[in-house]
Amino acid sequence: MKILFEYIKLNLKVLFQHKRAFFIMFFVNSAVVLIYLPLFRSIYAYNNSQSIKGYSLEQMVWYFAAVTFVNTCVHSYADSRISGRIRNGNLSIDLLKPVGIMKIELGQGLGLKIPAILIQFLLPFLVYSLIIFPTFITFHSVFKFIILNIGGFTIAFLTNYIIGLTAFYIKNNNSIIRLKGFLFNFAGGAFIPLDFLPNWANAVLDILPFKYVYYWPIQFFLNLEKAQGTFIFYKILFIQLLWSVVLFILGKFLYNKVIKNYCAVGG
């Protein structure tokens, strides 16, 4: 745990050397609501409706704002980093360190989250609130959203780690990374709320991990009817935990297989 904490501090120092990039992302994320607000106002006015698929206008706008918040909380780049270090030979140095690759990547991922949550989550939240105030949220809905984002980060990180391990076989795993990104965004509900998909599609997605990274945490953030009560919260939390355990075991198993065939290239 001490080694992991040191990796987090190290990556924080590196990230704060590039402060401008974080503030640029702040302005980019803040522009989201300015794009979606007039768009959905036109859609709701055209349909002459106060609610579409159970979402009010403000909830629909905040849905996509919340997608950027989830991205801030769950994104890590273990998949591309592992591939890059295999190609340039630097992974050989990591393998000599008294800490596993998973902990190294976890330290880097957590180090990225701390400044990102401040600049790309809390500050944009204040900006959005000045433009269209989220009257629907409560302290409990935000608390549940934060807790479920921890589970979402775990699922996303372990998935990225597993995809990173595929680079031991194929070296450049960019095509798999792109496929993963599409699946998480589409099947997770980042592109469009999953309520717009047919029932059979949602039944399939219920047994996959993607919607527990985006869709369900956002449902609690928006304080929608389907997210009311403690039972559904603990159900989603349990499913996140179950997927995290499955992915962790799969990651351990795959690492033990691929490390036997590792051959350094580049350098």
Side-chain angles (χ1 to χ4, degrees):
M1 184 59 69
K2 182 179 180 181
I3 296 177
L4 177 61
F5 182 66
E6 291 301 321
Y7 265 97
I8 294 173
K9 289 199 301 182
L10 174 63
N11 283 279
L12 276 172
K13 292 178 182 179
V14 173
L15 288 168
F16 277 117
Q17 297 301 314
H18 306 280
K19 295 183 286 293
R20 291 188 183 89
F22 278 98
F23 284 103
I24 290 172
M25 285 303 300
F26 161 67
F27 288 110
V28 170
N29 288 345
S30 298
V32 170
V33 71
L34 298 176
I35 296 172
Y36 284 113
L37 181 56
L39 172 64
F40 284 115
R41 273 180 176 165
S42 299
I43 293 174
Y44 277 75
Y46 178 80
N47 287 277
N48 192 26
S49 175
Q50 299 295 317
S51 176
I52 297 178
K53 290 292 184 177
Y55 297 87
S56 66
L57 170 61
E58 62 177 0
Q59 285 174 324
M60 187 65 79
V61 173
W62 273 91
Y63 182 97
F64 290 95
V67 167
T68 66
F69 298 158
V70 174
N71 281 332
T72 298
C73 294
V74 306
H75 266 193
S76 66
Y77 303 96
D79 42 16
S80 58
R81 279 197 299 259
I82 292 175
S83 175
R85 294 208 300 277
I86 288 175
R87 295 199 303 272
N88 62 29
N90 288 338
L91 189 72
S92 300
I93 299 174
D94 291 335
L95 294 175
L96 297 176
K97 297 176 181 178
V99 58
I101 296 175
M102 181 183 288
K103 283 188 177 181
I104 292 175
E105 292 300 330
L106 181 60
Q108 291 178 329
L110 293 175
L112 178 66
K113 295 304 115 190
I114 296 172
I117 289 173
L118 173 62
I119 299 172
Q120 300 175 28
F121 181 3
L122 297 180
L123 291 180
F125 181 87
L126 295 176
V127 173
Y128 298 159
S129 298
L130 294 175
I131 299 171
I132 176 170
F133 189 78
T135 58
F136 49 85
I137 69 170
T138 65
F139 171 80
H140 289 97
S141 66
V142 173
F143 176 76
K144 291 175 181 177
F145 175 71
I146 293 172
I147 294 299
L148 293 179
N149 266 299
I150 296 174
F153 169 80
T154 306
I155 291 174
F157 169 76
L158 290 171
T159 301
N160 286 350
Y161 174 73
I162 290 170
I163 292 175
L165 295 180
T166 64
F168 279 88
Y169 287 113
I170 62 177
K171 300 299 185 285
N172 191 331
N173 58 4
N174 284 340
S175 58
I176 300 178
I177 292 173
R178 292 192 184 98
L179 176 60
K180 178 266 302 182
F182 173 78
L183 287 174
F184 266 94
N185 284 289
F186 179 75
F191 287 157
I192 185 173
L194 298 179
D195 309 83
F196 289 89
L197 299 181
N199 291 334
W200 66 265
N202 273 288
V204 172
L205 295 177
D206 282 340
I207 60 176
L208 298 175
F210 309 112
K211 70 188 301 181
Y212 303 102
V213 175
Y214 284 97
Y215 178 79
W216 272 112
I218 293 174
Q219 299 303 297
F220 285 93
F221 178 79
L222 299 179
N223 208 16
L224 291 168
E225 183 177 354
K226 68 183 69 176
Q228 299 297 321
T230 56
F231 174 77
I232 186 63
F233 172 72
Y234 285 115
K235 176 184 176 181
I236 301 304
L237 194 60
F238 173 77
I239 295 174
Q240 286 184 330
L241 177 62
L242 184 62
W243 267 111
S244 297
V245 171
V246 170
L247 292 170
F248 178 80
I249 294 173
L250 179 59
K252 283 287 189 180
F253 172 78
L254 185 59
Y255 177 80
N256 290 333
K257 296 285 289 184
V258 300
I259 199 63
K260 296 176 182 178
N261 301 314
Y262 173 62
C263 179
V265 298

